[in-house]
Amino acid sequence: MSDCIFCKIANGEIPSTKVYEDDLVLAFNDLEPQAPIHVLIIPKQHITSCDDITPDNSAVIAHIFEVAALLGKQFGLTNGYRIVNNCGEDGGQTVKHLHFHFMGGRQFGWPAG
Ligand code: 5GP
Ligand code: ZN
């Protein structure tokens, strides 16, 4: 997707602070962190949102959660962390490339905050 900012981050056109990368996924610091640790984990392949996950592309989702577990250990978040996905307009998704917010380093409220 030529006009997608996260595709541009994935291919290096837009710089980011990477915390993890492999062939399938990239994890980088959020520009406006909402917690001491706020990383976005994205598939390198463009998938618009959670609503576009199919049997053909869902393997990367399992991998994203493997990476999340790795990040938890990498950041020493032994007391836990939060993973958030905003899906579509009502879900509050602003960037239309599937991403999971990985947040840690503070206590979170529920359902928001
Ligand atoms: P959403 O609201 O779609 O769930 O989350 C989009 C996230 O992307 C926001 O937390 C926002 O701060 C982050 N973001 C938007 N543009 C950029 C960017 O160019 N670089 C980085 N690192 N984060 C971005
Ligand atoms: Zn994209």
Side-chain angles (χ1 to χ4, degrees), residues 1 4-8 45-47 96-97:
M1 288 270 291
C4 170
I5 56 168
F6 284 2
C7 280
K8 288 183 178 171
Q45 174 200 357
H46 183 88
I47 300 172
K96 309 296 193 233
H97 178 128

Side-chain angles (χ1 to χ4, degrees), residues 80-108:
Y81 44 84
R82 178 164 289 185
I83 297 170
V84 172
N85 172 260
N86 298 325
C87 180
E89 293 302 322
D90 281 2
Q93 183 179 5
T94 58
V95 177
K96 309 296 193 233
H97 178 128
L98 175 63
H99 53 280
F100 292 86
H101 297 257
F102 176 96
M103 307 160 87
R106 70 169 171 89
Q107 180 79 54
F108 294 92

